[in-house]
Amino acid sequence: MEKSDSKEGSEFVGEIREGFHTTYYQNGDWFEGIYKLGKRNGLGKYCFQSKNCLEGEWKDDLLQGKAIIRNQKGSIVLEGLWLNNEYQGLYNPYSKPDQEKAN
């Protein structure tokens, strides 16, 4: 079960979240970011009960692209690429896809 706390600029279309929302989950985690058609879409921040926070971009409720996990002091714990919520490896903006395969 989850609880949504609407913020300014957010709205519901029927029961579907649209715009910017903060959603609190029963396990103590929370997500703050943009919803489109009821799913996380766009930039957002997911914070775990452990106080680590993941900042990244979602598409259709799945983490996609570059994301960073920070501890409660703001230090980077992990930075990398995600595809369909699966960690793909370290993020290196200077490498080309063919170079990564060769290494």
Side-chain angles (χ1 to χ4, degrees):
M1 178 176 251
E2 60 186 54
K3 176 186 170 196
S4 181
D5 177 29
S6 298
K7 290 203 172 183
E8 190 174 326
S10 66
E11 58 186 77
F12 280 79
V13 177
E15 293 292 318
I16 299 173
R17 289 180 187 89
E18 284 290 323
F20 188 85
H21 283 268
T22 301
T23 302
Y24 299 93
Y25 300 96
Q26 201 169 24
N27 65 358
D29 295 355
W30 57 272
F31 174 79
E32 179 177 85
I34 300 169
Y35 285 84
K36 182 177 179 183
L37 299 175
K39 295 182 178 180
R40 293 173 285 195
N41 274 286
L43 296 176
K45 181 177 182 178
Y46 190 101
C47 291
F48 302 92
Q49 186 179 17
S50 68
K51 307 291 187 226
N52 287 349
C53 291
L54 187 151
E55 302 166 9
E57 187 164 355
W58 277 260
K59 180 166 175 52
D60 294 328
D61 246 3
L62 300 174
L63 190 59
Q64 303 282 1
K66 182 182 175 202
I68 297 172
I69 298 176
R70 297 180 189 272
N71 65 22
Q72 61 185 333
K73 293 182 179 180
S75 299
I76 294 175
V77 174
L78 181 66
E79 180 175 10
L81 296 174
W82 274 259
L83 178 64
N84 297 325
N85 265 3
E86 300 275 331
Y87 179 67
Q88 301 296 304
L90 295 175
Y91 172 72
N92 183 348
Y94 304 106
S95 69
K96 296 179 182 161
D98 291 347
Q99 288 177 328
E100 289 179 6
K101 290 178 185 175
N103 293 330

